[in-house]
Amino acid sequence: MDSTEMMDADDHEQTVGSTEDAMQANQDQEMVLPLLELISEARQMHGLRHEDYQRYRQFCTQKLRTLRRSVGLSQNTTPAKSSGKSKAHSKFLSKPISPENATTSRHLMILLFECERHWAYAMELKEFVRDEPRKTFHQVKRLVRAVKFGNTLKEVVAAQKDRLDVRSIYEVEGYAALLSAHHQSHCRQHVAALKSFARARAIFSHLASVGPKDQRLLSQNMLDEIDPAIRFSAYQQGNKNAQRLAVTELMQGHVEQKLVEDLRTCLPISDTDDVSKLRIQIRDEDVVVPTPLQDLVHQSLRQPQAPPAGDTKADVLALCAPITSAHTLTLRAIRKQVAAAAKGAVKMTAARSELVLKELRLLEFFVMSLRAETIIARDSLLIEKSDLSTPLEKVTSLFENILGQLASLKSHPAVIGDATYPHINDARVLYYRSSRARFLASTHMRDKSYQGNVNALGLLERASEHLTQSRAMAAGVARMTGLNDEDTKRLNDLDERLKELEMRIRQGVVIATARVAVKQAKAVDEVSEQVSKLEISQDQSDETVETPLPLISTLHSFKLPMKDGKPYVVDWNRVLPVPAKPMFFDMAYNGIEYRTEILEARARGESVDEAKKSVQERGAGGERKGLLGSVFGLWGRK
């Protein structure tokens, strides 16, 4: 190796990632090969996120060149003899990795990325097989090469098992079995493919239940890739129920019992996470707080959940200011971490990026909810302490601030797919809308005018509608299964608030209705006087009395209407029943004779006695006497 190549090798060694440096530093003590983490990072960051297999293959080629130069196994370092040309050309000289010369973790990475390079080339050729069937042979050849390097990696790991951790050994074994299964499935050897897939799944299934959370997640991703392949292989063998049966049933008889026992012995199921880290239970998720944020999160957790109630508005604002400031500082630091994780700026592997971003968003939502609850409680206290001197615009802005806090919590990405929280949030939004309408109604009722009370009735009706919708939505959430303690506590608190608000709305409706009735019945002095004296509660000056008096305590103020100095009460003994309509009344109606003579006499100004006397003189029934009466009677004329 000449000086130029040695300088290039030194430059590449300086550019190797932090994971590789850590493995190289421990080469004399222990070899580490985080296989799933390495391939997940490489695939996600170099093309496979968009299924660009050509880009990933080129990355693997460059990666192999860098790794071989770093360990002194470059395969083009022997220059050919000078043939008169201006530049000396390198000659390819194969330098395979074997159990004898594999002494560092980078030797294992060379074999790993050889597998990835040939596998990516086979997947790239898969797109051209339909147009050029001859490329099928090239694709099979690449899969064979990938399986070959996978078996070599397995042999090297078995030879170096004393220097490798147990998880890395089984990850390599599962990875080699998965490569063999893909090759066998492509060659339509479905019996052997199902056996290899089952072996790989048994390994990754056990790895998904042990170790840290991020490693378990990577193993679970491998299971998501293997399960459809197992169903396909079982279906190709003639199992028509492969899509309906469980994967464990399809694997029966294809997994060696010795492998299962070795996995249970070497990797017992236990939580190996670092217990010293700060964990918070957020929406049924165990979130590990990153080390740079632990002090700020501790400071937010030490703040009181409910702000203390002061005597005046200034006291409330002063007591709540340090609490909201602490939450704001914590939230600002978390959002910086979220932005860095979303852009990939933090130094973490791509395999863990989604998990870390999810946990950071959950932590952001948790601190946001703490700050929002503090602001909601503060504004609610300010609304309760508002009086006639408080401007209406200021109170309505407090309600808008509360609704804005609830809207920001509902739209957070951490709870978009949650089954219960958005519905509880909507129920709370409807509650505060109902409370706002009731407050506006109380302001209209202060002037005690007719139009003000009419407007108040309209607002109270809207408040009642919002309250009914909120109660129905909360009842629907309460019927759901799987509610946690936090959701149950919120629902119980909301139910108590709804009961109190319903009582206030009913009281406001009674007061406004009574005042409107007084204004409409102003011409009736007695009714106006009695209704105006009707006592709804003890304090008539405050229309927003929280606890109305029961009816039995106001009986002394009720007065019966008076007539001639006596209570005007209906004597039910003098009331006779109304007779029913007789049968055939409609048919006999035209034959009824009415004594219109008395009405005519009354119309002429005669008294009742004079009218009766004149009718009697004319005859019974008002018939005419004498000859004219007989003549007119022939034609039915009276």
Side-chain angles (χ1 to χ4, degrees), residues 504-577:
R504 294 187 179 186
I505 292 174
R506 288 183 176 179
Q507 179 182 351
V509 170
V510 171
I511 295 174
T513 304
R515 289 179 176 176
V516 170
V518 169
K519 297 297 181 181
Q520 290 178 345
K522 198 169 183 180
V524 184
D525 297 336
E526 295 178 357
V527 177
S528 177
E529 182 180 358
Q530 298 302 327
V531 174
S532 61
K533 294 181 180 180
L534 183 62
E535 295 184 5
I536 304 299
S537 59
Q538 289 182 341
D539 188 3
Q540 289 291 326
S541 61
D542 186 8
E543 280 70 25
T544 58
V545 180
E546 296 185 5
T547 306
L549 296 176
L551 180 61
I552 191 172
S553 62
T554 58
L555 291 178
H556 64 280
S557 60
F558 179 73
K559 296 181 181 180
L560 292 172
M562 308 296 290
K563 184 177 182 180
D564 299 334
K566 297 180 180 180
Y568 183 74
V569 181
V570 178
D571 187 3
W572 296 104
N573 295 325
R574 299 177 58 185
V575 177
L576 299 178

Side-chain angles (χ1 to χ4, degrees), residues 28-246:
D28 297 333
Q29 301 176 359
E30 184 180 4
M31 297 173 65
V32 180
L33 183 66
L35 186 144
L36 296 181
E37 186 174 350
L38 287 172
I39 63 175
S40 298
E41 175 187 9
R43 291 179 180 182
Q44 292 295 321
M45 297 182 65
H46 298 281
L48 289 196
R49 181 177 295 180
H50 308 289
E51 297 184 358
D52 189 353
Y53 291 99
Q54 181 181 4
R55 177 187 167 191
Y56 183 59
R57 176 176 61 85
Q58 293 172 351
F59 161 76
C60 292
T61 303
Q62 182 64 31
K63 185 74 173 178
L64 286 170
R65 186 180 296 111
T66 303
L67 288 171
R68 284 188 174 275
R69 287 180 178 179
S70 64
V71 296
L73 292 176
S74 181
Q75 300 183 122
N76 57 348
T77 57
T78 302
K81 294 182 179 180
S82 178
S83 57
K85 297 182 180 180
S86 59
K87 294 183 180 179
H89 295 276
S90 299
K91 180 181 178 181
F92 176 79
L93 180 62
S94 177
K95 296 181 181 180
I97 305 295
S98 62
E100 291 76 16
N101 62 0
T103 58
T104 65
S105 298
R106 292 184 181 178
H107 290 87
L108 304 181
M109 292 179 62
I110 291 174
L111 295 174
L112 175 61
F113 281 100
E114 286 283 4
C115 296
E116 287 291 293
R117 181 170 70 95
H118 291 291
W119 170 81
Y121 203 173
M123 296 298 104
E124 179 186 350
L125 293 173
K126 188 176 181 180
E127 301 178 359
F128 305 99
V129 168
R130 292 183 180 179
D131 299 333
E132 302 180 35
R134 293 287 301 174
K135 290 190 175 181
T136 303
F137 302 101
H138 194 185
Q139 181 184 9
V140 173
K141 183 179 178 181
R142 289 296 176 176
L143 287 174
V144 171
R145 296 288 299 274
V147 173
K148 177 183 176 180
F149 281 106
N151 293 332
T152 304
L153 177 61
K154 183 179 176 181
E155 294 174 0
V156 173
V157 167
Q160 302 289 342
K161 62 180 180 180
D162 296 335
R163 299 175 58 189
L164 281 166
D165 61 304
V166 180
R167 188 179 187 91
S168 298
I169 295 174
Y170 280 106
E171 284 183 357
V172 170
E173 186 174 352
Y175 179 73
L178 185 59
L179 289 177
S180 300
H182 283 308
H183 171 251
Q184 294 163 354
S185 177
H186 184 78
C187 296
R188 299 186 179 182
Q189 301 173 5
H190 298 295
V191 177
L194 180 58
K195 186 175 181 180
S196 299
F197 277 128
R199 182 178 181 84
R201 192 189 189 282
I203 294 173
F204 289 117
S205 177
H206 188 81
L207 294 177
S209 59
V210 297
K213 189 174 182 179
D214 54 345
Q215 296 183 6
R216 297 199 303 265
L217 180 62
L218 293 174
S219 301
Q220 185 63 42
N221 293 338
M222 298 300 292
L223 295 180
D224 296 339
E225 177 185 348
I226 295 173
D227 289 349
I230 291 178
R231 295 185 184 276
F232 177 76
S233 299
Y235 179 80
Q236 292 296 327
Q237 293 184 32
N239 191 343
K240 303 302 181 182
N241 298 324
Q243 296 297 327
R244 296 195 298 269
L245 295 177

Side-chain angles (χ1 to χ4, degrees), residues 282-284 418 420 482-490:
I282 305 173
R283 304 304 303 168
D284 298 332
D418 198 284
T420 58
L483 290 176
N484 53 28
D485 297 337
E486 183 182 0
D487 293 339
T488 305
K489 182 180 178 180
R490 282 198 179 99

